[in-house]
Amino acid sequence: MSKQTTVMPERQQRAAQPAQSRPPRRTFWSRVRLWLGLGFGLVLLVIGLIYWQIFSLSRAITLADARPNAPLASPLIGANLLIIGTDERPGFPQEGVRGDTLMLARLDPAGRWVSLLSIPRDSQVAIPAVGLDVTKINAAYGQGYAGATSLYGDTTTPQQGGMALAAETVEALLQLRERNMRVDFVATVNFAGFAQIIDALGGVTIDVPSRLIDEAYPTDDFGVMRVEFAPGPQRMDGATALIYARTRHQDSDFGRAQRQQQVVQAILQEVRERGLLGQVVTLPALVRAVGGSGDGISPVVTTLPVARLDVLFALARLAATVEPGALGQFGLGPVQLAATNGTNLIWDQAAVQALLDAWQQRPVEVVEEVEVQVFNGTDVPGLARLVSLDLEQAGFRMLPAANAPLVGEQTSVYHTGGAPTTSRRVAQTLKARLVNGPLPEGVASSAPVVVVLGTDAVR
């Protein structure tokens, strides 16, 4: 009698196997957990690489504050950062080092705002520590640089000494301690570093308010050259933006301070427009620009510990939330000037303190008792007077209307300093472009906010 062999289908064979011997089936949720884990690991890797770059940069550019009573501060709860643009001539040590630009920035990440205060380099100060009773404030950095060890101890580097003495001098000039305030941190950037940062961003867009000509712009070899900027928006590389920020012979140091703040605003705008992904992609180039060329000389040096977590969080919050157009822009200028001593500028302390009151407040909350003047840049008679009446009804304080050279189609609002909130409100009311900088050629006004009407304002 023959035996029959029954062959079971493969599916039945798998079903007949003991449960513990079957290969496990990968469920949908297990695959989801796997991909989430891989994604999370990749995010951690990217964050680690970014922080490693920032940490390496911090080691290259961060110096300890040499002041014996250096303030303890965190940008998370608000801080004042003194930015010094240094004038150094490589190969000419006999020329010394000067603080060519001084700008005090108020950082408030919690309130999501930043305000800048420009201090003219010809401001008259006393620096008793080095025996100077009358000098210009731009000498403070150089004197601290040259006398670092005698002023702050044997281990103090020249850059530490320069930053420390400049900070103390600014505190004395603005009487910050009387207001229970300090210069919390200091950062210096030389001309090469300024240009390299802009080049790392691929350039910046500057809206030049009027034709700018300097027949005697200083060159690195102690000569001069002619520079000219046409009016209107234009893309500038680092070298061009540096010239724009430094030129001053056509107007004054006050006009130069406005241009410097305009360039800072353009840099912030460039960073903001890139978004998070673009900022991450640009970071290596910025690190190389700020960290130097590996020769031990960093174009940017600071006492702000940029790799500290609270500092990183504060800077990231500011970068993500502060609109460049809402940047508070202030500066010591003709309104605060009490007298001159040769080319030295002597400030009226009451007016300076009033300016500081506004600088310390969130820009959108500042109550600015300033006047606005409207100029007619069209061939329509009476247009400036009609617009002035409209603005007066909207609550603005107006000066009498006047005429300007024909400007074309676009209406512009010029903010020459000290009234960032009013200038933005006027521009929004008129749906006009806002220009932070000097007035155009052919327009003269004492008002900090000036409207020049184009044909788009014709009704």
Side-chain angles (χ1 to χ4, degrees):
M1 191 173 175
S2 62
K3 296 183 180 179
Q4 292 183 356
T5 303
T6 302
V7 178
M8 299 175 63
E10 182 180 350
R11 180 181 299 176
Q12 294 181 3
Q13 290 178 12
R14 289 201 307 268
Q17 291 179 1
Q20 62 271 22
S21 65
R22 283 187 232 152
R25 295 180 63 189
R26 191 173 296 280
T27 66
F28 170 77
W29 290 111
S30 66
R31 289 194 294 271
V32 169
R33 287 193 295 269
L34 174 63
W35 285 109
L36 286 176
L38 291 174
F40 184 68
L42 181 61
V43 170
L44 288 180
L45 177 62
V46 171
I47 292 175
L49 289 173
I50 292 174
Y51 183 76
W52 176 79
Q53 290 189 73
I54 294 173
F55 180 77
S56 301
L57 172 66
S58 180
R59 292 182 61 184
I61 70 172
T62 303
L63 296 176
D65 196 323
R67 290 177 287 175
N69 58 342
L72 299 175
S74 170
L76 272 178
I77 57 176
N80 300 324
L81 171 68
L82 177 63
I83 304 169
I84 307 173
T86 58
D87 183 2
E88 305 176 57
R89 302 295 177 100
F92 298 93
Q94 70 278 9
E95 290 296 316
V97 180
R98 291 179 295 276
D100 190 67
T101 298
L102 291 169
M103 196 179 298
L104 190 61
R106 177 64 185 170
L107 312 177
D108 192 330
R112 302 180 182 182
W113 60 272
V114 175
S115 279
L116 302 177
L117 175 67
S118 292
I119 304 170
R121 64 180 186 174
D122 290 339
S123 300
Q124 181 170 296
V125 295
I127 312 179
V130 293
L132 293 175
D133 293 326
V134 176
T135 189
K136 298 180 188 293
I137 198 169
N138 70 331
Y141 181 82
Q143 291 293 329
Y145 189 99
T149 55
S150 61
L151 289 170
Y152 299 105
D154 293 341
T155 61
T156 307
T157 68
Q159 288 171 315
Q160 284 178 299
M163 289 191 288
L165 190 58
E168 292 175 346
T169 305
V170 168
E171 286 181 346
L173 173 68
L174 301 180
Q175 298 183 356
L176 292 184
R177 297 214 181 187
E178 286 81 345
R179 304 174 68 94
N180 294 318
M181 298 179 66
R182 299 290 305 275
V183 170
D184 299 304
F185 304 103
V186 185
T188 69
V189 55
N190 62 24
F191 295 154
F194 180 85
Q196 288 166 10
I197 290 171
I198 292 176
D199 286 337
L201 292 172
V204 293
T205 299
I206 303 291
D207 191 350
V208 180
S210 59
R211 187 170 299 278
L212 183 63
I213 300 174
D214 189 342
E215 300 285 356
Y217 181 84
T219 59
D220 288 340
D221 60 357
F222 302 99
V224 295
M225 67 178 184
R226 184 183 189 274
V227 297
E228 180 176 352
F229 292 90
Q234 49 203 274
R235 196 72 177 172
M236 297 186 187
D237 61 13
T240 306
L242 176 63
I243 294 174
Y244 180 74
R246 290 191 66 206
T247 181
R248 67 189 183 107
H249 289 112
Q250 178 168 304
D251 40 31
S252 65
D253 261 347
F254 304 136
R256 189 177 77 145
Q258 292 167 358
R259 286 188 287 274
Q260 289 168 352
Q261 292 195 7
Q262 189 183 11
V263 174
V264 171
Q265 186 182 46
I267 293 173
L268 295 178
Q269 183 68 38
E270 192 68 33
V271 172
R272 184 73 184 277
E273 288 178 350
R274 290 172 180 267
L276 180 59
L277 181 59
Q279 292 165 7
V280 171
V281 172
T282 308
L283 183 60
L286 284 173
V287 168
R288 289 192 297 271
V290 173
S293 57
D295 56 5
I297 300 175
S298 295
V300 176
V301 176
T302 182
T303 62
L304 181 69
V306 293
R308 209 170 69 191
L309 291 181
D310 66 312
V311 176
L312 274 179
F313 183 79
L315 296 179
R317 183 176 176 85
L318 288 172
T321 59
V322 175
E323 289 286 348
L327 196 71
Q329 295 179 282
F330 301 88
L332 297 179
V335 174
Q336 293 78 34
L337 189 62
T340 58
N341 179 15
T343 58
N344 292 359
L345 305 176
I346 302 172
W347 305 109
D348 176 83
Q349 277 301 323
V352 170
Q353 297 310 307
L355 182 66
L356 288 175
D357 286 339
W359 171 76
Q360 281 182 262
Q361 299 180 54
R362 180 185 175 95
V364 296
E365 296 174 350
V366 174
V367 178
E368 298 166 344
E369 296 294 333
V370 298
E371 295 173 320
V372 180
Q373 188 169 20
V374 179
F375 284 78
N376 190 355
T378 76
D379 56 3
V380 179
L383 183 61
R385 184 177 59 83
L386 293 175
V387 172
S388 294
L389 289 174
D390 288 344
L391 290 175
E392 189 171 38
Q393 291 177 356
F396 296 101
R397 297 172 55 184
M398 306 302 299
L399 289 177
N403 292 319
L406 297 181
V407 298
E409 180 180 354
Q410 192 170 25
T411 296
S412 299
V413 177
Y414 292 87
H415 171 223
T416 60
T421 303
T422 303
S423 58
R424 284 196 300 273
R425 287 179 52 221
V426 171
Q428 291 167 0
T429 301
L430 299 178
K431 296 181 174 57
R433 72 165 182 163
L434 175 61
V435 179
N436 288 292
L439 296 176
E441 187 175 355
V443 177
S445 174
S446 60
V449 181
V450 172
V451 180
V452 180
L453 299 175
T455 56
D456 58 357
V458 178
R459 306 178 186 187

